[in-house]
Amino acid sequence: MSEALTEYFQALERLKNGRPTRIAKGARINNDNVALEADRKKGSIKKSRPVFKDLIEAIDASAAEQSSPEKQMTRRLEKTRGEAQGYREKWEQALCRELSLLQEVYALKKELASLRGVDILPLRPKKPC
């Protein structure tokens, strides 16, 4: 197998794995995108050339797999889970900041009370019964 053909197959694998280096992530798998990912000109993979027969078959199979509804739903679910995880992390960070600020307020009230010579004021006032 020639070096150029090897580069085309490597580009196809990167596209299938969702890790392209030269084109946009999530791009459809077709002859032109495989050529561009392999750092070749658009249209360089031609059906009329017998050397590309196996490559074109692999591209067509990958394109059919990429467009299957199960794959699309799986990708959408993974994306949604990632977003949910990101929001959870932001929420936990906000809680940590809140707790840190409450501790700082308590420490400052304690210091102020010791300077004034009075008891520490509670963070939350007691509710009347």
Side-chain angles (χ1 to χ4, degrees):
M1 193 177 333
S2 71
E3 183 180 332
L5 204 53
T6 304
E7 289 176 5
Y8 283 122
F9 276 105
Q10 290 172 349
L12 177 60
E13 284 302 313
R14 287 193 301 269
L15 287 173
K16 283 177 17 181
N17 294 333
R19 298 172 191 229
T21 57
R22 293 180 177 90
I23 63 172
K25 192 173 184 178
R28 298 186 55 78
I29 297 176
N30 57 34
N31 293 356
D32 289 337
N33 283 340
V34 171
L36 291 172
E37 178 62 23
D39 203 20
R40 304 281 195 238
K41 290 184 179 179
K42 188 176 181 178
S44 64
I45 301 174
K46 299 191 184 287
K47 292 181 181 181
S48 62
R49 296 182 186 161
V51 71
F52 291 129
K53 181 182 180 226
D54 294 334
L55 177 64
I56 291 173
E57 289 174 1
I59 291 171
D60 291 341
S62 297
E65 182 181 319
Q66 182 187 36
S67 64
S68 69
E70 295 99 20
K71 285 282 189 179
Q72 289 178 351
M73 292 303 286
T74 303
R75 282 192 202 105
R76 189 172 171 192
L77 179 63
E78 289 173 3
K79 180 182 175 185
T80 305
R81 282 184 179 158
E83 288 175 356
Q85 180 64 27
Y87 289 129
R88 181 176 183 85
E89 288 173 3
K90 288 179 181 178
W91 176 69
E92 288 174 355
Q93 291 171 355
L95 287 177
C96 287
R97 282 191 305 270
E98 182 79 16
L99 182 60
S100 174
L101 290 172
L102 282 174
Q103 289 176 342
E104 186 177 346
V105 167
Y106 180 74
L108 290 173
K109 281 189 173 191
K110 187 176 179 179
E111 182 181 342
L112 182 63
S114 69
L115 291 174
R116 288 186 176 173
V118 293
D119 290 334
I120 298 175
L121 301 173
L123 286 177
R124 294 186 183 141
K126 294 182 181 179
K127 294 181 183 177
C129 293

